Structure formats: structure tokens, C-alpha cells
Amino acid sequence: MEIRKDMLPVLKPHGGEEEIQAIREVIESGWWGKGPKVAEFEEKFAKMVGAKYAIAVTSASHGQDLVMKAADWKGIDVINPAISFIATAIIPLWNGFTSNIVDVKRDTLCIDPEDVERYKKPNSELLIAVNEAGVPCDYKELRKKFGGFILEDTAHSCWTPGAGQSGDCAVWSFQAVKTMPMGDGGMITTDDKWLADRCREMTWFGVSSTWSRTQSTTGKPGYAWDYQVDILGYKYYMIDIMAAIGLEQMKKLPKHLEFRRHIQSRYNKELHAIIERPPHSETVQYYCPRVSANHRDELIDYLADKKIHTSVHFKPLYKYTPLKQDREYPVCETEWIKLISLPCHNNMKDEDIDYVVYWVNKYFEENY
Ligand SMILES: Cc1ncc(COP(=O)(O)O)c(C=O)c1O
């Protein structure tokens, strides 16, 4: 097969005229900050995922940080899976907490409840359960082994039925290459009114939103300029320009996920038999099969040479200097070096899938 001219990206957001028109309307409305579009996005998102409350924020990272600040824990230990994006284990450090990284299960690469039980500490109050590549953690076992607060990291699970309903809260990401991309953005969802109210108040220094103060409830005309601040807050709220993109992406989400599952199913059927298939994902945030550790890095270079970008989701967190741990990780250590993420996004066509399958298979035909 002839080598293509342009690089096939491993991940890429897909948008078009609908998003451009939605942004134009917000710009022309004169209300660019947090306003009616954010309120509409929060309401529709809460309904979609079946949560009582949804609070839109600047990113999932800020959403996780806000939950930690709102819950008002002091000096706690936070349990994290070894396979995750660095955000989940660094954010506890922002808050003066410790990050206690535990091993993952071999099949799903999600946090291992047995290892949680083995390594939890008396002050382990919070556990971050990452649904790796959109595959749910074993929440039933986690609840048996851990009695504290579970933050469900749904950065890769937007949206799969049931996602966000097993933790005490869930934090979603709309970062540029996620399944519902908005450039950047995040959402906290929960059924806990106390937590939701506190998170909402803390998204803007404890100040009630300007938009809400333009919506007079007193019968008096105009804008209520005064506000009281009773809480230490931050500046983490989403703005209408972003929410407008989110509302358009939400309409497209079912079709986008259907196509991602189509890519997953074609890769599963057509890739060389030597390749270990990933567990089924409803969102297919990443398609991460496993190959022999001896071949992984060579395959990455071989595919780059054929203009196919790949990646690794993820390098273990304990390998990063601020997150070093004093223990062994037998499962993670043997599995992560087999991981490779193949192109999977909504800009791909069937010919692109053909192209990836052809070159991956050719590599294994030449090397076995
Ligand atoms: C598992 C996981 N959690 C959290 C985040 C942070 O998301 P955001 O970029 O929206 O802050 C990411 C981002 O890739 C992620 O993969």
C-alpha cells in the first residue's frame, strides 16, 4: 500500500459549521461569560447522565481540585490508580494531601480493589477511580474494600450508560481530544446537594453569578450589583462560548460514539491475531491493544514512518518524579510496556481504518 502524504493523527476533535454558528450566536448576543448557555448545558448534561446536580468548570482537573477543596478535607491520603493521566495524582499534592498510587487489574487496567485494601492507610479518605479508556472500574468490589469518598473519574466515559453513577461524585472532561470535545472544559456531577452547592459557590470566589443577578426576582427592574462572599472561592467556572460548543457536541455524541465503536469493532476483527484486544469500551476514548513488550516501541516508530501517529495511555504515574512511590507494581510494570494507542477519532474514514490495519498487520507479518 502506498504511504500517505499527511500524518494520520491518533486523536483529533471533530467539529464544523454547527459549532461555528453556535459560537457566533454567543458572540453576537453580547453575553460571553457564564450565562444562559452554561445553565442550559448543565441542565442537559445532568439529565443525560442521570445526576441531580451538574456544575460546569474550566476543566476536569479544576473539577477534581474543586471537589477536594469543597469537601474541606485536611491532610488526607488520596488513592489513585497507577495507570492514569498525571492530573489525578498531582491534584491531591496541590491541596497538601499525599498521593497513594496503587496497582491496576490486568484485564481492564482500572484500579485493583485488592491492592486498595492492601495499601490503604488510616487517613485514606478519598479514592479516584479512573474508568480507563471508558471501561468502568469494579465499583462493587471497591465499595467493599474502601469506605471513604469515591470520585469517579469519567474523563474517558462521556457518555456511556451508568457512567458517573457509581461514585459519590463524577468529574467529566471536555478537553480537546475527548469524546465530547470543547477545547477545554469539565463538569462535576453529583446527587449530593451540599457538595453541589459548595462547588458551585466556589467556582467564582464565592460570588453569585452576574447572570443570576440580572434575572431580578424582586420585581425591581435592573441588575442587582451587590453580593456577599461567605466562602473561600476560586475562578473555575465555564463560560458561554465553551458551553455553546458543548451543546452542539452533545447533539452529535450518539453518532460520534457509534463511529468510535465501529472503529473498535473493525480493529478487533481485522488486526493480526498476535495482538491482544482491549476490553470493550462504549466510548472508545482510546483504542489500546497490547503487543509484546519487545515490539511495542519498534512498532510505534514503524507506524510513524508510515505516517500513522500512535501514543501510549498511559505511562505509570509512579515513574514521574513528584509521584515516586516506595513499592513494587507487578501488574502495571508488566502490562504498560505492551500498550499502544492506535488512531481512533471521528475524523477517520473506513479507508483510514484499512490503512492502519494494513500497516500494523504488515509489521507483524514481517516480524514473526
Ligand atoms: C483520566 C483523566 N483524568 C483527568 C484528566 C484531566 O482532564 P482535563 O484536561 O479536562 O483537566 C484527564 C485528561 O486527559 C484524564 O485522562
Side-chain angles (χ1 to χ4, degrees):
M1 187 178 287
E2 206 178 313
I3 298 177
R4 55 192 285 154
K5 302 229 166 9
D6 57 322
M7 193 57 105
L8 176 62
V10 60
L11 302 164
K12 189 179 170 185
H14 184 274
E17 271 314 310
E18 299 80 3
E19 286 80 4
I20 293 167
Q21 183 54 29
I23 295 171
R24 179 172 291 127
E25 280 167 23
V26 172
I27 304 271
E28 288 174 358
S29 78
W31 198 279
W32 297 9
K34 181 179 171 180
K37 289 287 174 196
V38 170
E40 184 185 344
F41 185 48
E42 287 177 337
E43 196 187 317
K44 289 190 168 153
F45 195 85
K47 203 164 164 209
M48 178 173 88
V49 307
K52 282 195 182 142
Y53 310 101
I55 300 105
V57 286
T58 34
S59 65
S61 301
H62 283 163
Q64 295 201 354
D65 190 36
L66 206 58
V67 169
M68 289 181 208
K69 288 172 161 63
D72 216 15
W73 289 298
K74 300 277 181 275
I76 60 162
D77 179 69
V78 181
I79 301 179
N80 256 281
I83 299 264
S84 175
F85 180 58
I86 188 161
T88 62
I90 286 288
I91 295 161
L93 307 188
W94 292 356
N95 289 282
F97 305 160
T98 49
S99 248
N100 178 1
I101 297 169
V102 302
D103 214 342
V104 291
K105 289 179 68 154
R106 198 212 164 276
D107 51 353
T108 60
L109 300 182
C110 290
I111 196 161
D112 178 6
E114 301 292 332
D115 212 51
V116 169
E117 183 171 48
R118 223 170 284 132
Y119 285 94
K120 68 183 176 190
K121 299 177 183 163
N123 68 336
S124 301
E125 295 278 343
L126 168 63
L127 183 147
I128 303 196
V130 177
N131 296 329
E132 173 62 13
V135 177
C137 298
D138 186 347
Y139 288 98
K140 221 166 132 198
E141 278 307 299
L142 279 176
R143 288 285 184 200
K144 280 191 209 153
K145 310 287 186 196
F146 179 74
F149 188 100
I150 296 186
L151 186 156
E152 190 175 345
D153 181 324
T154 38
H156 306 166
S157 306
C158 184
W159 173 74
T160 169
Q165 292 181 347
S166 304
D168 296 291
C169 76
V171 182
W172 311 78
S173 173
F174 313 121
Q175 180 262 345
V177 294
K178 296 297 189 292
T179 49
M180 210 173 88
M182 294 167 42
D184 239 333
M187 190 76 82
I188 302 166
T189 56
T190 182
D191 287 348
D192 179 337
K193 183 169 177 352
W194 178 84
L195 182 67
D197 287 347
R198 270 180 73 85
C199 285
R200 192 177 298 287
E201 240 188 308
M202 290 167 89
T203 54
W204 191 33
F205 302 112
V207 177
S208 58
S209 91
T210 312
W211 175 258
S212 68
R213 279 179 285 108
T214 63
Q215 310 297 296
S216 173
T217 50
T218 59
K220 281 202 226 160
Y223 153 67
W225 61 267
D226 195 14
Y227 48 78
Q228 175 58 21
V229 172
D230 299 314
I231 197 168
L232 176 66
Y234 301 84
K235 190 166 190 281
Y236 283 176
Y237 61 82
M238 184 182 284
I239 60 170
D240 272 20
I241 295 176
M242 310 313 298
I245 302 176
L247 284 163
E248 292 309 313
Q249 285 284 322
M250 200 190 279
K251 289 182 211 159
K252 297 178 178 179
L253 188 63
K255 277 236 157 311
H256 280 179
L257 293 184
E258 197 183 313
F259 188 70
R260 285 175 171 276
R261 289 191 295 269
H262 169 71
I263 299 174
Q264 171 177 251
S265 132
R266 279 208 53 201
Y267 280 158
N268 280 348
K269 275 196 208 110
E270 296 172 42
L271 285 174
H272 196 288
I274 199 91
I275 297 170
E276 184 181 333
R277 273 57 175 164
H280 177 84
S281 170
E282 285 289 312
T283 60
V284 209
Q285 168 62 55
Y286 307 116
Y287 183 83
C288 318
R290 285 176 237 184
V291 299
S292 110
N294 300 333
H295 290 93
R296 200 267 311 261
D297 290 350
E298 196 181 271
L299 175 62
I300 289 174
D301 290 345
Y302 177 90
L303 294 176
D305 206 42
K306 308 295 181 270
K307 300 242 187 279
I308 300 170
H309 259 175
T310 57
S311 189
V312 174
H313 294 98
F314 292 95
K315 181 167 150 178
L317 295 179
Y318 52 79
K319 304 236 178 235
Y320 298 115
T321 306
L323 297 172
K324 291 262 183 270
Q325 311 276 311
D326 190 17
R327 56 159 290 190
E328 304 288 311
Y329 294 87
V331 179
C332 188
E333 209 45 35
T334 47
E335 295 309 313
W336 89 273
I337 40 172
K338 302 178 189 166
L339 287 171
I340 177 171
S341 301
L342 297 180
C344 181
H345 52 83
N346 292 95
N347 298 281
M348 288 174 71
K349 308 216 165 0
D350 268 296
E351 302 88 86
D352 298 318
I353 308 172
D354 294 340
Y355 188 82
V356 175
V357 167
Y358 177 86
W359 286 111
V360 171
N361 288 354
K362 185 144 179 74
Y363 172 84
F364 283 105
E365 280 151 21
E366 284 168 5
N367 288 283
Y368 272 95

